Amino acid sequence: MSLLNRVKSLPQGFIWGGATAAYQVEGSTKVAGKGKTMWDDYLKAQGRFSPDPASDFYNRYPEDLALSKKYGLNSIRVSIAWTRIFPNGTEQEPNQEGVAYYHRLFKECLDQGIEPYVSLHHFDSPQTLFEDGDWLNRKNSDYFVAYAEFCFKEFTEVKNWFTINELISLAYSQYIQGNFPPNHHFDVTSGIQAQHNELVAHARVVNLYKKLGLPGRIGLIHVIQPIYPIDDAPENIHAAKLQDAFMNKFLLDGTFLGYYSDDTMESINEILRLNDAHLEIEDGDLDILAEAAPQNDFFGMNYYQNQFIKAYKGESTNSFNGTGDKGTSSFKFKGVGEAVKKEGVPTTDWDWNIYPEGLYDSLKRVAADYPNCKTIYITENGLGLKEDQPAENEILADDKRIDYIDQHIEAILRARDEGVDVQGYFVWSLQDQFSWANGYNKRYGLFFIDFATQKRYIKKSALWFKELADTMK
């Protein structure tokens, strides 16, 4: 019996992949010369979660890639752990054991007919650079560019590169929401400065890649979280405009316009003023952005949820739901807005809105507002669930996940039919994995992992993925 519901087929040649990130899947954080990231000591001191063994992808990647092929995937998103290559982030000589590992991984991908799409940075700055200011220290961007150049020249088998994953999520989680180290809350100066500095670092790497004349493609990944006013009240419309500038428009402008529009900076400057914050744009920064803007070959858009916003004038405060205890999250940003729920819009146990219309709106917006944006890939989208371990040969029924993905694929294909150049989809995530501030109870994978034994179990969503993949043959 067919599992297909809304979406009956995929376009020919569609990229149909699974997404991972090095620190969330590899484990083996202390082997083969790997250096510490910003997470290692932090997680140990916190005592809640360990990144080892995660999904043990460091050792079990052949098994996961074989499963990927069996269930119809033709692509995978992986990231290179910077500290496997340069353990302190700054070395002149690379760690050859780390280099050899990624050569083995990429070879296995290609041998299985799985095209690797590779990110250089996915929330895992080297500990030494983190202690020296992370992205707030402009010197660290020099080290990032050097690391990128090494990877481009070394891993010639990779033809699809992303520089940095989710620039806003890193800055927001570190300095606004406070659930990533160094756990600052509403440090607005750092939150906006980190975004800008990351964006300049991205642009420098794109410009370098093009100067090297390499045969592949390069881009970056933004998570887009469309912001809607909760109603038509003027103050709520304005609040949504401010929140959108901070979460989306500032980075989209810098990436694809090569400058920050007057409209965007009006909103950003209002946020800065209301929070006694400032942004420093150095001489030459905008030249770097302008050079890179038309040179991004593709855009990775991550999408999980939208926000509904109403005006808020009080002091900033928030509560992060990292446990799946539904209804425990809150977010109030001084002078900007308060996140609220809308009747009729379902939410996950982690209080994330389930709103596929937001993905359609985001695709249409980027295509309309940013002509320099060429091909778009949805590089992450998926549903985190609490799931019990299945019986020995049981297929885990995750119908909620299938329904969620189905609705979002339908939104993607509708935008595509209306002319948006979206050419692929990577589900988050390929397999269950370590989920940062959420630990291990938030499962996203097509494949269930018993983290104690590392046994893989098939979920119903993997069967659904395979059935849709077969429509491209």
Side-chain angles (χ1 to χ4, degrees):
M1 188 178 74
S2 174
L3 297 174
L4 301 184
N5 186 6
R6 297 174 184 84
V7 178
K8 303 299 185 184
S9 65
L10 295 174
Q12 293 300 305
F14 202 65
I15 297 300
W16 193 230
T20 71
Y23 200 77
Q24 294 182 260
V25 297
E26 287 180 354
S28 297
T29 63
K30 301 178 180 69
V31 308
K34 186 181 189 296
K36 289 182 178 180
T37 73
M38 58 188 260
W39 289 93
D40 293 83
D41 289 346
Y42 169 80
L43 289 170
K44 185 176 180 180
Q46 202 178 49
R48 293 176 65 206
F49 313 121
S50 169
D52 291 310
S55 315
D56 196 26
F57 189 71
Y58 184 82
N59 297 301
R60 294 175 184 262
Y61 65 86
E63 180 181 358
D64 286 342
L65 290 168
L67 285 170
S68 298
K69 183 173 185 176
K70 181 177 180 180
Y71 289 93
L73 280 69
N74 57 34
S75 305
I76 186 173
R77 262 193 70 204
V78 298
S79 69
I80 294 175
W82 186 345
T83 58
R84 285 204 195 279
I85 308 297
F86 298 109
N88 291 312
T90 61
E91 292 88 349
Q92 296 299 310
E93 293 299 319
N95 171 31
Q96 291 300 330
E97 288 182 278
V99 172
Y101 165 70
Y102 287 109
H103 278 302
R104 294 194 302 272
L105 171 60
F106 300 144
K107 182 180 187 301
E108 185 70 20
C109 288
L110 297 172
D111 287 350
Q112 293 280 4
I114 308 290
E115 185 69 26
Y117 284 68
V118 181
S119 303
L120 291 166
H121 187 282
H122 194 124
F123 300 165
D124 57 350
S125 297
Q127 175 71 13
T128 50
L129 303 189
F130 172 77
E131 291 174 351
D132 203 22
D134 207 4
W135 291 106
L136 297 176
N137 182 347
R138 298 286 292 248
K139 180 65 178 173
N140 289 340
S141 295
D142 296 340
Y143 298 128
F144 180 67
V145 173
Y147 154 63
E149 181 172 8
F150 172 83
C151 289
F152 295 152
K153 292 178 176 178
E154 178 68 29
F155 301 114
T156 55
E157 61 270 51
V158 175
K159 305 303 181 189
N160 297 284
W161 292 98
F162 295 110
T163 55
I164 304 172
N165 176 77
E166 292 193 5
L167 290 71
I168 180 60
S169 295
L170 185 58
Y172 181 86
S173 297
Q174 288 185 300
Y175 303 115
I176 302 299
Q177 189 168 246
N179 58 308
F180 281 17
N183 306 117
H184 293 186
H185 289 265
F186 296 98
D187 175 357
V188 178
T189 293
S190 297
I192 196 70
Q193 191 68 55
Q195 288 187 58
H196 172 73
N197 291 358
E198 286 178 83
L199 195 55
V200 173
H202 153 76
R204 288 178 62 190
V205 170
V206 168
N207 295 339
L208 167 69
Y209 189 83
K210 294 302 179 180
K211 285 184 175 71
L212 291 172
L214 297 168
R217 300 184 297 169
I218 192 165
L220 86 171
I221 295 170
H222 292 315
V223 62
I224 303 298
Q225 191 170 117
I227 311 296
Y228 303 91
I230 192 61
D231 56 33
D232 292 334
E235 64 271 22
N236 294 335
I237 292 173
H238 185 66
K241 185 175 189 288
L242 295 179
Q243 180 74 347
D244 176 63
F246 192 86
M247 296 298 294
N248 302 304
K249 200 161 182 278
F250 182 75
L251 287 171
L252 287 171
D253 278 9
T255 303
F256 297 116
L257 298 180
Y259 60 89
Y260 306 119
S261 68
D262 291 342
D263 182 65
T264 297
M265 287 312 301
E266 182 179 338
S267 296
I268 293 297
N269 286 330
E270 182 175 343
I271 295 169
L272 295 173
R273 184 175 66 254
L274 290 168
N275 288 275
D276 299 317
H278 63 273
L279 167 65
E280 183 177 344
I281 298 176
E282 295 187 4
D283 290 345
D285 284 358
L286 296 180
D287 295 330
I288 294 169
L289 296 184
E291 182 182 348
Q295 298 199 89
N296 293 282
D297 296 302
F298 50 43
F299 172 43
M301 180 189 293
N302 292 357
Y303 178 84
Y304 291 96
Q305 64 161 330
N306 71 309
Q307 275 190 3
F308 297 105
I309 292 288
K310 71 176 183 180
Y312 177 74
K313 302 301 181 186
E315 292 301 310
S316 294
T317 179
N318 76 296
S319 175
F320 172 72
N321 177 358
T323 60
D325 185 9
K326 196 165 186 173
T328 59
S329 63
S330 65
F331 181 80
K332 300 175 181 180
F333 194 169
K334 180 180 178 181
V336 180
E338 176 183 354
V340 293
K341 296 304 175 187
K342 186 170 185 175
E343 187 176 351
V345 175
T347 60
T348 72
D349 285 341
W350 286 264
D351 299 319
W352 291 19
N353 294 323
I354 299 175
Y355 196 67
E357 193 70 17
L359 177 51
Y360 169 83
D361 289 345
S362 297
L363 286 166
K364 295 287 283 188
R365 173 202 190 168
V366 170
D369 293 353
Y370 300 99
N372 276 331
C373 179
K374 304 179 181 76
T375 297
I376 299 172
Y377 296 100
I378 303 305
T379 38
E380 285 182 31
N381 174 248
L383 179 64
L385 295 170
K386 302 169 185 173
E387 294 172 323
D388 294 326
Q389 184 169 323
E392 183 64 25
N393 294 309
E394 178 188 0
I395 302 291
L396 189 148
D398 58 345
D399 294 75
K400 287 183 179 179
R401 177 171 294 110
I402 293 172
D403 186 56
Y404 176 99
I405 299 172
D406 194 22
Q407 291 183 63
H408 286 80
I409 296 294
E410 182 183 47
I412 292 165
L413 296 181
R414 178 155 55 103
R416 179 187 162 101
D417 288 344
E418 294 173 10
V420 179
D421 183 18
V422 55
Q423 297 293 344
Y425 177 91
F426 294 81
V427 67
W428 188 269
S429 52
L430 177 63
Q431 72 283 74
D432 291 342
Q433 48 193 252
F434 171 67
S435 190
W436 307 115
N438 303 291
Y440 289 97
N441 73 329
K442 191 179 190 183
R443 293 177 178 269
Y444 279 95
L446 299 179
F447 310 118
F448 183 97
I449 293 182
D450 176 349
F451 292 108
T453 67
Q454 291 298 320
K455 179 176 171 59
R456 271 68 170 148
Y457 297 81
I458 306 306
K459 299 184 189 179
K460 190 175 175 181
S461 55
L463 304 179
W464 180 86
F465 240 72
K466 177 64 165 70
E467 188 175 350
L468 264 180
D470 286 346
T471 67
M472 290 190 285
K473 293 180 179 178

